[in-house]
Amino acid sequence: MNPQTIALVRTSWNKVKPQAEPAAQRFYERLFALYPETKQLFQEDMDEQRRKLMAMLDTAVDALDDLDAVLPAIEELGAQHACYGVTGADYDKVADALLWTLGQALGADFTPEVQGAWTEVYRSLAEAMQEGAAADALDCP
């Protein structure tokens, strides 16, 4: 990941963070509207789920300079998601909802360059999560 990608994601994330709660709400509303079948993947309190989503994104954005440092945690997250029933196709659904949400939160600041940077970051994270899911798929409780 190049420095420009990291800078674009960090700058845009700093604009989204102050509106984290409504952005998370919009994300799940969009995800469930586009892909109603994903709703069954979320068993816990959605307030808590929204907080976890934003915290995970914040951690990932902070770690963009050294993703290798958080790679084991990202892979473990992927393994946990596999246990919940998340499949490879679900990552594309989340990408759709996430990019839409970022576009809504950023408005005119969601330029093609920013969208491309977020797409690159999301793909990297999703690939790591899917690798973790594949490695630990049989270790579900």
Side-chain angles (χ1 to χ4, degrees):
M1 202 167 308
N2 69 49
Q4 181 182 3
T5 296
I6 293 170
L8 286 169
V9 168
R10 283 196 174 139
T11 299
S12 60
W13 181 244
N14 285 334
K15 294 175 184 176
V16 174
K17 276 174 62 170
Q19 50 183 315
E21 177 58 31
Q25 180 75 34
R26 281 193 302 272
F27 167 81
Y28 285 106
E29 287 172 359
R30 181 71 170 185
L31 181 65
F32 299 153
L34 290 176
Y35 308 103
E37 69 278 8
T38 61
K39 192 165 185 150
Q40 69 185 1
L41 297 171
F42 298 91
Q43 303 298 321
E44 65 180 67
D45 172 37
M46 288 307 295
D47 287 339
E48 180 64 19
Q49 186 63 44
R50 287 188 293 273
R51 281 190 289 278
K52 285 181 179 182
L53 172 68
M54 289 298 147
M56 186 276 301
L57 287 170
D58 198 44
T59 298
V61 170
D62 283 346
L64 289 177
D65 290 318
D66 188 14
L67 274 181
D68 289 340
V70 295
L71 197 57
I74 293 168
E75 290 174 348
E76 174 62 27
L77 187 62
Q80 290 171 4
H81 279 69
C83 289
Y84 302 144
V86 173
T87 67
D90 294 322
Y91 287 90
D92 292 336
K93 296 170 186 176
V94 167
D96 289 345
L98 178 62
L99 292 172
W100 179 87
T101 300
L102 291 167
Q104 294 296 302
L106 293 167
D109 290 335
F110 195 60
T111 64
E113 293 80 15
V114 171
Q115 181 176 355
W118 273 100
T119 299
E120 181 181 339
V121 166
Y122 179 79
R123 282 189 186 139
S124 296
L125 296 172
E127 286 172 10
M129 288 178 70
Q130 290 177 62
E131 288 171 13
D136 292 333
L138 300 177
D139 293 338
C140 296

